[in-house]
Amino acid sequence: MEASGTLRARLYRQLDPRAWRHRGLSPINLVLAWLIVFAAVVGVLQTEPELENRYGAAFVGTELILALIFLAEYLARFWTIAEEPGDTPAWRCRLRFVLSPWSILDLIVIVVSLLPFIVGNASILRMARLARIVRLAKLGRMSDAMTHLTRAVRVCKDELILVIALAGAVLIAAATALYWIEGDIQPDKFGSVPRSMWWAVVTMTTIGYGDVFPITPGGKVAAGALAIVGVGLIALPAGIMAGALSQVIRTGDSVDEKAP
Amino acid sequence: MEASGTLRARLYRQLDPRAWRHRGLSPINLVLAWLIVFAAVVGVLQTEPELENRYGAAFVGTELILALIFLAEYLARFWTIAEEPGDTPAWRCRLRFVLSPWSILDLIVIVVSLLPFIVGNASILRMARLARIVRLAKLGRMSDAMTHLTRAVRVCKDELILVIALAGAVLIAAATALYWIEGDIQPDKFGSVPRSMWWAVVTMTTIGYGDVFPITPGGKVAAGALAIVGVGLIALPAGIMAGALSQVIRTGDSVDEKAP
Amino acid sequence: MEASGTLRARLYRQLDPRAWRHRGLSPINLVLAWLIVFAAVVGVLQTEPELENRYGAAFVGTELILALIFLAEYLARFWTIAEEPGDTPAWRCRLRFVLSPWSILDLIVIVVSLLPFIVGNASILRMARLARIVRLAKLGRMSDAMTHLTRAVRVCKDELILVIALAGAVLIAAATALYWIEGDIQPDKFGSVPRSMWWAVVTMTTIGYGDVFPITPGGKVAAGALAIVGVGLIALPAGIMAGALSQVIRTGDSVDEKAP
Amino acid sequence: MEASGTLRARLYRQLDPRAWRHRGLSPINLVLAWLIVFAAVVGVLQTEPELENRYGAAFVGTELILALIFLAEYLARFWTIAEEPGDTPAWRCRLRFVLSPWSILDLIVIVVSLLPFIVGNASILRMARLARIVRLAKLGRMSDAMTHLTRAVRVCKDELILVIALAGAVLIAAATALYWIEGDIQPDKFGSVPRSMWWAVVTMTTIGYGDVFPITPGGKVAAGALAIVGVGLIALPAGIMAGALSQVIRTGDSVDEKAP
């Protein structure tokens, strides 16, 4: 660790969540987290034609400022990463930072956000809007709670996969059953298994838009059976996760020490 | 503690839940809790034009009586708070009571409820209707169970925030995807991300009114994917809370002692 | 305990779940449980006009046979209850049996089921149809699992009441909000808080029939907020019950011994 | 165990999940699992008339290849099962394999899949499509996670049955209530208890297609009550499973040793 500049060391402790010794996020990271949310909200509102027509210039300005702030954040991280504890030389820390998947993604998002101001291409801007949403995922990366969740998922991974496979099998069976029963009566809705599948997904997740539903007594009995089995299967992942999380929370600290 | 009057001391034990030594609420607090519920029901029924036209006078009378009962409760609490154990002088207990947020809210609700009988302004009455609902929240304040719930929420706060952030990101991603896929086909429903958002919320919470749904195969595949991911994400908070509550209930009493 | 007849003693062990030493229900009780389910199914099918017209006589015959079987069960229970362990004289055991709420309910259902064959009144028969469904609840009484569930509910009773009260407050607040926002635009659907309440219940339970939904942007934002909060609140009872049940199952046997 | 051929012994370790010492599935079983999923997808897509018309020949070819692969798998299992540890002679292992329910099912599916290429009967082919989905269930058999789930279900079996019985009773009661209240107003929807049952199932599982819903104030109150009770009952199985799974995961390994 080269402690050459006090500013760089202090900025490093602000930017790297692992170097922050207090609870929660550091002030700078907190501001950045809210800016990411704000950028997502701006990106969402921009797509509304009415707002775009009225406040188009304001949107372009906000986008430019946000892109520059995130560019500054990227450069600051690149500069301060040299403060990382350990004997790794500064250029190695920086290379590792630049080549990490999250940094590459960040850089792509920044470049794409700035492109329209250089090239002026509107279709790329559209793509950038979605990419910017990925920034929200960075909030997750910043949080310590993710370890709890990922560990709980790892504990019950096999059970979750099994339940999902079971749900998939029930889904296909239900879609096939309705295709047999109502395929000839409502051919546009149940005329093939893929078409019935839309109904099966909408029913099993208990959404029930009401655009597709069985109209014959046989179809209603089959749909009712699927609904009841489906609700039970959907309750299982919640139960599985609860069991795993309750174990992870209880043995949380001791497992932390054992983990590599 | 000044034990001047036996009536005041007995009333104090009835009104202050902390001073009640038996299980549950004291008789007076139980009656008050049911009156709060009754006041909410009256406030709700009053908005129905048919009932208002027929029983308008009865509603006004009931409102006046309820407001006077709650005023009497407020004054009784103000009088008896001096019985609070400890060496604090009576005027200090009373000042603390008057300035506590719940008391201020209570006083506002009482004054606003009585205002129409003094000023006769109907528009303020309308506002009072909602404010009166807040009284229901007092039921929560009266209960000891709230500590269990708030403690469980505190245990898994970070995990909950993370899941909510994740759900928010999935929501925005799904709305953006449908805006791309069906924006040109159903412009009034998916013509912008904010418009798609209504669909995304209605789908992800599995409500599915049926006013908005995708009609193209691509949109249906995207919607089905969101529905399945959404159901999984919605199962997570239940699992997280279950894990936290199971820990809080198990270690409940021991934690109580450690807590300040 | 008077052990006069071997038949009575053996029948007693068959009929009284507490006297049955093996796992599950005794053969006679198992047959009776399925007959209760069968009686419910017959009662349900009988209401369908098409089936009633075609198989009316068969329904009447089945009803009569079922009522006589349940009458025989009642008399058998009345006769064998004298075998109950302890020093209570036989007439006391029988009096206690006859006056227990479940026996009174059973007798009423039997008498009402047999009445139309004596009096021939069709309107009473209609009433009997619902009463017969209560027999299904007897299945619950027969099961040992109920103790687990009731004990778990008792452990987390206060928390459940609190969450239900909270959900009720949110329900009223949401209905009031939509009444303000869309009351003038859709007066038949949101014209009063009780009318909005139908929408609020259908939304918060995530049913979403699609007969009522907000159409203004403001109403959609309020409805979306209710939906998200509602889903969270509905996840809480599942989490609370899971925590309580996990504790009850773990400490199950030890608590059994302590319980009176 | 006769260790005659090295190839057979190695193939046996690849095919029998119990003989595979590493984590997860063996390479061959993994490929077979994905082929089962692929066969299901092909079977689903084949029912779509548009795809069938355009790629009919490709579907027939894919089906033939898949059926031959699964036939080869069956024969390989029949050959290698002799490697099973223990002193059982080879012909006995094979006989046991051939007569096991899963093997019989596998053989039926394979024969039925190959039949149309021999007999050319299209109606049997249709039947085979659904049977092929059963192959997906084999994925579950291959997994160790199933033991966790089945053990958790066994722990809380009685509670689950009780809740399901309770839900069934509530379902019938709700359908009967709506049949009384709205039977005369909407005879095609609530004209009999079986007809109301469709509404009750769609409501209690919170699907809410919107094809059937009460329109009178009384019907709405009854439906709202069912909805709230139904949501609570549906939360129970999730809670029960969570409690049981949390216990199974905690005591998982120790129980494994005790189990026969």
Side-chain angles (χ1 to χ4, degrees), chain A residues 14-65:
Chain A
Q14 285 280 329
L15 283 172
D16 196 328
R18 288 163 301 172
W20 185 247
R21 271 160 216 164
H22 310 273
R23 239 190 89 76
L25 295 172
S26 66
I28 287 188
N29 271 333
L30 202 67
V31 167
L32 284 169
W34 282 109
L35 278 178
I36 292 166
V37 174
F38 176 68
V41 170
V42 168
V44 161
L45 292 177
Q46 208 172 356
T47 62
E48 175 64 46
E50 274 183 52
L51 293 172
E52 178 68 29
N53 291 341
R54 230 185 290 170
Y55 310 106
F59 279 128
V60 168
T62 313
E63 293 250 327
L64 181 57
I65 292 165

Short mmCIF file of all heavy atoms in Angstrom, two decimals, chain A residues 14-65:
data_model
loop_
_atom_site.label_atom_id
_atom_site.label_comp_id
_atom_site.label_asym_id
_atom_site.label_seq_id
_atom_site.Cartn_x
_atom_site.Cartn_y
_atom_site.Cartn_z
N GLN A 14 -13.65 6.53 1.00
CA GLN A 14 -15.01 6.94 0.67
C GLN A 14 -15.59 6.08 -0.46
O GLN A 14 -16.77 5.73 -0.44
CB GLN A 14 -15.03 8.42 0.23
CG GLN A 14 -14.89 9.41 1.36
CD GLN A 14 -16.20 9.63 2.10
OE1 GLN A 14 -17.27 9.54 1.52
NE2 GLN A 14 -16.11 9.89 3.39
N LEU A 15 -14.74 5.74 -1.44
CA LEU A 15 -15.27 5.08 -2.64
C LEU A 15 -15.36 3.57 -2.51
O LEU A 15 -16.31 2.95 -3.01
CB LEU A 15 -14.38 5.44 -3.84
CG LEU A 15 -14.60 6.84 -4.42
CD1 LEU A 15 -13.55 7.15 -5.46
CD2 LEU A 15 -15.99 6.98 -5.04
N ASP A 16 -14.38 2.94 -1.83
CA ASP A 16 -14.40 1.47 -1.76
C ASP A 16 -15.20 1.01 -0.54
O ASP A 16 -14.79 1.25 0.59
CB ASP A 16 -12.96 0.94 -1.69
CG ASP A 16 -12.92 -0.55 -2.01
OD1 ASP A 16 -13.90 -1.24 -1.69
OD2 ASP A 16 -11.93 -1.00 -2.59
N PRO A 17 -16.34 0.33 -0.74
CA PRO A 17 -17.18 -0.08 0.40
C PRO A 17 -16.41 -0.94 1.40
O PRO A 17 -16.68 -0.90 2.59
CB PRO A 17 -18.31 -0.89 -0.26
CG PRO A 17 -18.34 -0.45 -1.68
CD PRO A 17 -16.93 -0.08 -2.03
N ARG A 18 -15.43 -1.73 0.90
CA ARG A 18 -14.69 -2.60 1.82
C ARG A 18 -13.79 -1.80 2.76
O ARG A 18 -13.42 -2.25 3.84
CB ARG A 18 -13.83 -3.58 1.02
CG ARG A 18 -14.63 -4.66 0.32
CD ARG A 18 -13.79 -5.30 -0.75
NE ARG A 18 -13.34 -4.30 -1.73
CZ ARG A 18 -12.45 -4.53 -2.69
NH1 ARG A 18 -11.92 -5.72 -2.82
NH2 ARG A 18 -12.10 -3.56 -3.54
N ALA A 19 -13.39 -0.57 2.34
CA ALA A 19 -12.49 0.24 3.14
C ALA A 19 -13.25 1.12 4.14
O ALA A 19 -12.64 1.74 5.02
CB ALA A 19 -11.64 1.12 2.22
N TRP A 20 -14.57 1.19 4.01
CA TRP A 20 -15.38 2.04 4.88
C TRP A 20 -15.64 1.30 6.19
O TRP A 20 -16.24 0.24 6.19
CB TRP A 20 -16.70 2.37 4.17
CG TRP A 20 -17.57 3.33 4.92
CD1 TRP A 20 -18.78 3.05 5.48
CD2 TRP A 20 -17.34 4.70 5.15
NE1 TRP A 20 -19.31 4.18 6.07
CE2 TRP A 20 -18.43 5.21 5.88
CE3 TRP A 20 -16.28 5.58 4.83
CZ2 TRP A 20 -18.51 6.55 6.30
CZ3 TRP A 20 -16.37 6.90 5.24
CH2 TRP A 20 -17.47 7.37 5.96
N ARG A 21 -15.17 1.88 7.32
CA ARG A 21 -15.25 1.14 8.58
C ARG A 21 -16.58 1.35 9.31
O ARG A 21 -16.91 0.60 10.22
CB ARG A 21 -14.09 1.57 9.51
CG ARG A 21 -12.86 0.70 9.27
CD ARG A 21 -11.62 1.38 9.78
NE ARG A 21 -10.48 1.11 8.92
CZ ARG A 21 -9.35 1.82 8.97
NH1 ARG A 21 -9.25 2.83 9.79
NH2 ARG A 21 -8.37 1.52 8.17
N HIS A 22 -17.33 2.38 9.00
CA HIS A 22 -18.60 2.66 9.71
C HIS A 22 -19.73 1.85 9.08
O HIS A 22 -19.58 1.27 8.02
CB HIS A 22 -18.89 4.16 9.67
CG HIS A 22 -17.73 4.99 10.09
ND1 HIS A 22 -17.49 5.31 11.40
CD2 HIS A 22 -16.71 5.51 9.36
CE1 HIS A 22 -16.38 6.02 11.46
NE2 HIS A 22 -15.87 6.15 10.25
N ARG A 23 -20.89 1.87 9.75
CA ARG A 23 -22.07 1.13 9.26
C ARG A 23 -22.61 1.76 7.98
O ARG A 23 -22.52 2.98 7.81
CB ARG A 23 -23.18 1.16 10.32
CG ARG A 23 -23.62 -0.22 10.80
CD ARG A 23 -24.86 -0.11 11.64
NE ARG A 23 -26.07 -0.19 10.82
CZ ARG A 23 -26.54 -1.33 10.32
NH1 ARG A 23 -25.92 -2.45 10.54
NH2 ARG A 23 -27.64 -1.33 9.58
N GLY A 24 -23.14 0.96 7.07
CA GLY A 24 -23.81 1.46 5.88
C GLY A 24 -22.83 1.97 4.83
O GLY A 24 -21.67 1.60 4.81
N LEU A 25 -23.32 2.85 3.95
CA LEU A 25 -22.51 3.37 2.86
C LEU A 25 -21.84 4.66 3.29
O LEU A 25 -22.34 5.39 4.15
CB LEU A 25 -23.40 3.64 1.64
CG LEU A 25 -24.06 2.43 0.98
CD1 LEU A 25 -25.04 2.88 -0.09
CD2 LEU A 25 -23.01 1.52 0.36
N SER A 26 -20.69 4.97 2.68
CA SER A 26 -20.01 6.24 2.94
C SER A 26 -20.80 7.36 2.28
O SER A 26 -21.58 7.13 1.35
CB SER A 26 -18.60 6.18 2.36
OG SER A 26 -18.69 6.11 0.95
N PRO A 27 -20.66 8.63 2.76
CA PRO A 27 -21.45 9.75 2.18
C PRO A 27 -21.39 9.78 0.65
O PRO A 27 -22.42 9.89 -0.01
CB PRO A 27 -20.80 10.98 2.81
CG PRO A 27 -20.25 10.49 4.11
CD PRO A 27 -19.84 9.06 3.88
N ILE A 28 -20.18 9.67 0.09
CA ILE A 28 -20.05 9.77 -1.38
C ILE A 28 -20.79 8.63 -2.06
O ILE A 28 -21.54 8.83 -3.03
CB ILE A 28 -18.55 9.79 -1.79
CG1 ILE A 28 -17.94 11.14 -1.42
CG2 ILE A 28 -18.40 9.51 -3.29
CD1 ILE A 28 -16.52 11.35 -1.94
N ASN A 29 -20.65 7.39 -1.54
CA ASN A 29 -21.34 6.25 -2.15
C ASN A 29 -22.85 6.38 -2.02
O ASN A 29 -23.59 5.95 -2.91
CB ASN A 29 -20.86 4.94 -1.52
CG ASN A 29 -19.66 4.38 -2.24
OD1 ASN A 29 -19.47 4.63 -3.44
ND2 ASN A 29 -18.83 3.63 -1.54
N LEU A 30 -23.31 6.99 -0.90
CA LEU A 30 -24.74 7.18 -0.71
C LEU A 30 -25.28 8.14 -1.77
O LEU A 30 -26.32 7.88 -2.40
CB LEU A 30 -25.01 7.74 0.70
CG LEU A 30 -26.41 7.52 1.25
CD1 LEU A 30 -26.64 6.04 1.48
CD2 LEU A 30 -26.60 8.28 2.55
N VAL A 31 -24.53 9.24 -1.99
CA VAL A 31 -24.94 10.20 -3.02
C VAL A 31 -24.96 9.52 -4.39
O VAL A 31 -25.90 9.68 -5.17
CB VAL A 31 -23.99 11.43 -3.00
CG1 VAL A 31 -24.20 12.28 -4.26
CG2 VAL A 31 -24.21 12.25 -1.75
N LEU A 32 -23.92 8.73 -4.67
CA LEU A 32 -23.85 8.04 -5.96
C LEU A 32 -25.00 7.06 -6.13
O LEU A 32 -25.59 6.97 -7.22
CB LEU A 32 -22.50 7.31 -6.08
CG LEU A 32 -21.31 8.22 -6.38
CD1 LEU A 32 -20.00 7.47 -6.21
CD2 LEU A 32 -21.41 8.80 -7.79
N ALA A 33 -25.34 6.35 -5.03
CA ALA A 33 -26.45 5.41 -5.11
C ALA A 33 -27.75 6.12 -5.48
O ALA A 33 -28.51 5.66 -6.34
CB ALA A 33 -26.62 4.69 -3.76
N TRP A 34 -28.00 7.27 -4.84
CA TRP A 34 -29.22 8.01 -5.16
C TRP A 34 -29.18 8.59 -6.56
O TRP A 34 -30.22 8.71 -7.22
CB TRP A 34 -29.47 9.12 -4.12
CG TRP A 34 -30.04 8.55 -2.87
CD1 TRP A 34 -29.43 8.43 -1.65
CD2 TRP A 34 -31.35 7.98 -2.72
NE1 TRP A 34 -30.27 7.82 -0.76
CE2 TRP A 34 -31.45 7.53 -1.38
CE3 TRP A 34 -32.43 7.78 -3.58
CZ2 TRP A 34 -32.60 6.90 -0.89
CZ3 TRP A 34 -33.56 7.16 -3.10
CH2 TRP A 34 -33.64 6.72 -1.76
N LEU A 35 -27.96 8.97 -7.04
CA LEU A 35 -27.83 9.48 -8.41
C LEU A 35 -28.17 8.38 -9.41
O LEU A 35 -28.76 8.65 -10.46
CB LEU A 35 -26.42 10.00 -8.65
CG LEU A 35 -26.17 11.43 -8.16
CD1 LEU A 35 -24.72 11.82 -8.40
CD2 LEU A 35 -27.11 12.43 -8.84
N ILE A 36 -27.80 7.12 -9.09
CA ILE A 36 -28.13 6.00 -9.98
C ILE A 36 -29.64 5.85 -10.08
O ILE A 36 -30.21 5.70 -11.17
CB ILE A 36 -27.46 4.70 -9.47
CG1 ILE A 36 -25.95 4.80 -9.62
CG2 ILE A 36 -28.01 3.49 -10.21
CD1 ILE A 36 -25.19 3.74 -8.86
N VAL A 37 -30.32 5.92 -8.90
CA VAL A 37 -31.78 5.83 -8.90
C VAL A 37 -32.37 7.00 -9.70
O VAL A 37 -33.27 6.82 -10.52
CB VAL A 37 -32.32 5.83 -7.44
CG1 VAL A 37 -33.83 5.89 -7.42
CG2 VAL A 37 -31.82 4.60 -6.70
N PHE A 38 -31.84 8.20 -9.46
CA PHE A 38 -32.33 9.40 -10.15
C PHE A 38 -32.15 9.26 -11.66
O PHE A 38 -33.06 9.60 -12.45
CB PHE A 38 -31.57 10.63 -9.61
CG PHE A 38 -31.92 11.92 -10.30
CD1 PHE A 38 -33.17 12.49 -10.14
CD2 PHE A 38 -30.99 12.56 -11.11
CE1 PHE A 38 -33.48 13.68 -10.78
CE2 PHE A 38 -31.30 13.75 -11.75
CZ PHE A 38 -32.55 14.31 -11.60
N ALA A 39 -30.97 8.74 -12.08
CA ALA A 39 -30.71 8.54 -13.51
C ALA A 39 -31.72 7.57 -14.12
O ALA A 39 -32.19 7.76 -15.24
CB ALA A 39 -29.29 8.02 -13.72
N ALA A 40 -32.07 6.51 -13.34
CA ALA A 40 -33.07 5.55 -13.83
C ALA A 40 -34.42 6.23 -14.00
O ALA A 40 -35.11 6.04 -15.01
CB ALA A 40 -33.17 4.37 -12.87
N VAL A 41 -34.80 7.06 -13.00
CA VAL A 41 -36.10 7.76 -13.07
C VAL A 41 -36.12 8.69 -14.28
O VAL A 41 -37.10 8.72 -15.04
CB VAL A 41 -36.37 8.53 -11.76
CG1 VAL A 41 -37.57 9.45 -11.91
CG2 VAL A 41 -36.56 7.56 -10.61
N VAL A 42 -35.02 9.44 -14.50
CA VAL A 42 -34.96 10.36 -15.65
C VAL A 42 -35.08 9.57 -16.95
O VAL A 42 -35.84 9.94 -17.85
CB VAL A 42 -33.64 11.17 -15.62
CG1 VAL A 42 -33.41 11.90 -16.95
CG2 VAL A 42 -33.66 12.15 -14.47
N GLY A 43 -34.33 8.45 -17.02
CA GLY A 43 -34.38 7.61 -18.22
C GLY A 43 -35.79 7.09 -18.50
O GLY A 43 -36.21 7.00 -19.65
N VAL A 44 -36.52 6.77 -17.41
CA VAL A 44 -37.89 6.26 -17.56
C VAL A 44 -38.82 7.37 -18.05
O VAL A 44 -39.60 7.19 -18.99
CB VAL A 44 -38.38 5.67 -16.21
CG1 VAL A 44 -39.89 5.57 -16.19
CG2 VAL A 44 -37.75 4.31 -15.98
N LEU A 45 -38.73 8.55 -17.42
CA LEU A 45 -39.64 9.65 -17.77
C LEU A 45 -39.40 10.14 -19.19
O LEU A 45 -40.32 10.57 -19.89
CB LEU A 45 -39.46 10.81 -16.78
CG LEU A 45 -39.92 10.53 -15.36
CD1 LEU A 45 -39.64 11.72 -14.45
CD2 LEU A 45 -41.41 10.19 -15.31
N GLN A 46 -38.15 10.08 -19.63
CA GLN A 46 -37.77 10.56 -20.96
C GLN A 46 -38.52 9.85 -22.08
O GLN A 46 -38.68 10.40 -23.16
CB GLN A 46 -36.26 10.33 -21.12
CG GLN A 46 -35.60 11.30 -22.06
CD GLN A 46 -34.10 11.13 -22.00
OE1 GLN A 46 -33.60 10.33 -21.21
NE2 GLN A 46 -33.40 11.86 -22.84
N THR A 47 -38.93 8.59 -21.82
CA THR A 47 -39.59 7.83 -22.88
C THR A 47 -41.03 8.29 -23.11
O THR A 47 -41.63 7.94 -24.12
CB THR A 47 -39.62 6.33 -22.53
OG1 THR A 47 -40.38 6.15 -21.34
CG2 THR A 47 -38.22 5.78 -22.34
N GLU A 48 -41.59 9.03 -22.16
CA GLU A 48 -42.97 9.51 -22.29
C GLU A 48 -43.00 10.65 -23.32
O GLU A 48 -42.43 11.72 -23.08
CB GLU A 48 -43.47 9.99 -20.92
CG GLU A 48 -44.84 10.62 -20.93
CD GLU A 48 -45.95 9.67 -21.35
OE1 GLU A 48 -45.97 8.54 -20.85
OE2 GLU A 48 -46.76 10.06 -22.21
N PRO A 49 -43.65 10.48 -24.48
CA PRO A 49 -43.63 11.50 -25.55
C PRO A 49 -44.04 12.89 -25.06
O PRO A 49 -43.40 13.88 -25.39
CB PRO A 49 -44.62 10.95 -26.58
CG PRO A 49 -44.67 9.48 -26.34
CD PRO A 49 -44.43 9.29 -24.89
N GLU A 50 -45.09 12.96 -24.25
CA GLU A 50 -45.57 14.25 -23.76
C GLU A 50 -44.49 15.01 -23.01
O GLU A 50 -44.28 16.21 -23.22
CB GLU A 50 -46.78 14.05 -22.84
CG GLU A 50 -48.11 13.97 -23.60
CD GLU A 50 -49.27 13.85 -22.63
OE1 GLU A 50 -49.35 14.67 -21.71
OE2 GLU A 50 -50.06 12.91 -22.79
N LEU A 51 -43.80 14.30 -22.08
CA LEU A 51 -42.74 14.94 -21.29
C LEU A 51 -41.56 15.28 -22.18
O LEU A 51 -40.95 16.35 -22.05
CB LEU A 51 -42.30 14.02 -20.16
CG LEU A 51 -43.34 13.76 -19.06
CD1 LEU A 51 -42.84 12.68 -18.10
CD2 LEU A 51 -43.65 15.03 -18.30
N GLU A 52 -41.22 14.38 -23.11
CA GLU A 52 -40.08 14.57 -24.00
C GLU A 52 -40.27 15.85 -24.84
O GLU A 52 -39.37 16.66 -24.98
CB GLU A 52 -39.91 13.35 -24.92
CG GLU A 52 -38.79 13.44 -25.94
CD GLU A 52 -37.41 13.41 -25.31
OE1 GLU A 52 -37.26 12.81 -24.25
OE2 GLU A 52 -36.49 14.01 -25.89
N ASN A 53 -41.50 16.04 -25.36
CA ASN A 53 -41.78 17.23 -26.18
C ASN A 53 -41.62 18.52 -25.39
O ASN A 53 -41.11 19.51 -25.88
CB ASN A 53 -43.21 17.15 -26.75
CG ASN A 53 -43.31 16.05 -27.79
OD1 ASN A 53 -42.30 15.60 -28.33
ND2 ASN A 53 -44.54 15.61 -28.05
N ARG A 54 -42.11 18.49 -24.12
CA ARG A 54 -42.11 19.71 -23.33
C ARG A 54 -40.75 20.02 -22.71
O ARG A 54 -40.29 21.14 -22.73
CB ARG A 54 -43.18 19.61 -22.23
CG ARG A 54 -44.07 20.85 -22.25
CD ARG A 54 -45.06 20.85 -21.12
NE ARG A 54 -46.08 19.83 -21.32
CZ ARG A 54 -46.97 19.48 -20.38
NH1 ARG A 54 -46.93 20.07 -19.19
NH2 ARG A 54 -47.88 18.58 -20.62
N TYR A 55 -40.11 18.96 -22.13
CA TYR A 55 -38.86 19.18 -21.39
C TYR A 55 -37.67 18.52 -22.06
O TYR A 55 -36.71 18.14 -21.40
CB TYR A 55 -38.99 18.66 -19.95
CG TYR A 55 -40.23 19.13 -19.23
CD1 TYR A 55 -41.30 18.29 -19.00
CD2 TYR A 55 -40.32 20.46 -18.78
CE1 TYR A 55 -42.43 18.71 -18.33
CE2 TYR A 55 -41.46 20.90 -18.12
CZ TYR A 55 -42.52 20.03 -17.90
OH TYR A 55 -43.63 20.47 -17.25
N GLY A 56 -37.71 18.34 -23.39
CA GLY A 56 -36.65 17.63 -24.10
C GLY A 56 -35.27 18.16 -23.79
O GLY A 56 -34.35 17.39 -23.48
N ALA A 57 -35.09 19.48 -23.81
CA ALA A 57 -33.77 20.09 -23.59
C ALA A 57 -33.29 19.81 -22.17
O ALA A 57 -32.11 19.49 -21.95
CB ALA A 57 -33.85 21.59 -23.84
N ALA A 58 -34.20 19.91 -21.20
CA ALA A 58 -33.83 19.66 -19.81
C ALA A 58 -33.35 18.22 -19.64
O ALA A 58 -32.38 17.95 -18.93
CB ALA A 58 -35.02 19.93 -18.89
N PHE A 59 -34.02 17.27 -20.32
CA PHE A 59 -33.61 15.87 -20.24
C PHE A 59 -32.19 15.70 -20.77
O PHE A 59 -31.36 15.04 -20.16
CB PHE A 59 -34.57 14.97 -21.03
CG PHE A 59 -35.83 14.63 -20.29
CD1 PHE A 59 -37.08 14.83 -20.87
CD2 PHE A 59 -35.77 14.11 -19.01
CE1 PHE A 59 -38.25 14.52 -20.18
CE2 PHE A 59 -36.93 13.79 -18.32
CZ PHE A 59 -38.17 14.00 -18.90
N VAL A 60 -31.91 16.32 -21.95
CA VAL A 60 -30.59 16.18 -22.56
C VAL A 60 -29.52 16.73 -21.61
O VAL A 60 -28.48 16.10 -21.39
CB VAL A 60 -30.56 16.91 -23.92
CG1 VAL A 60 -29.14 17.04 -24.43
CG2 VAL A 60 -31.43 16.15 -24.92
N GLY A 61 -29.81 17.88 -21.00
CA GLY A 61 -28.85 18.48 -20.07
C GLY A 61 -28.60 17.59 -18.87
O GLY A 61 -27.45 17.33 -18.48
N THR A 62 -29.71 17.08 -18.26
CA THR A 62 -29.56 16.21 -17.09
C THR A 62 -28.75 14.97 -17.43
O THR A 62 -27.87 14.56 -16.66
CB THR A 62 -30.97 15.79 -16.59
OG1 THR A 62 -31.79 16.95 -16.54
CG2 THR A 62 -30.89 15.17 -15.22
N GLU A 63 -29.03 14.40 -18.59
CA GLU A 63 -28.31 13.20 -19.02
C GLU A 63 -26.81 13.46 -19.12
O GLU A 63 -26.00 12.65 -18.67
CB GLU A 63 -28.81 12.76 -20.41
CG GLU A 63 -30.23 12.30 -20.43
CD GLU A 63 -30.32 10.81 -20.68
OE1 GLU A 63 -29.48 10.29 -21.41
OE2 GLU A 63 -31.22 10.18 -20.10
N LEU A 64 -26.45 14.65 -19.72
CA LEU A 64 -25.05 14.99 -19.89
C LEU A 64 -24.37 15.12 -18.54
O LEU A 64 -23.29 14.56 -18.31
CB LEU A 64 -24.95 16.31 -20.68
CG LEU A 64 -23.52 16.80 -20.98
CD1 LEU A 64 -22.74 15.74 -21.74
CD2 LEU A 64 -23.54 18.11 -21.74
N ILE A 65 -25.04 15.85 -17.61
CA ILE A 65 -24.44 16.06 -16.28
C ILE A 65 -24.24 14.72 -15.58
O ILE A 65 -23.18 14.45 -15.01
CB ILE A 65 -25.34 17.01 -15.45
CG1 ILE A 65 -25.30 18.42 -16.07
CG2 ILE A 65 -24.91 17.04 -13.99
CD1 ILE A 65 -26.41 19.32 -15.57
#
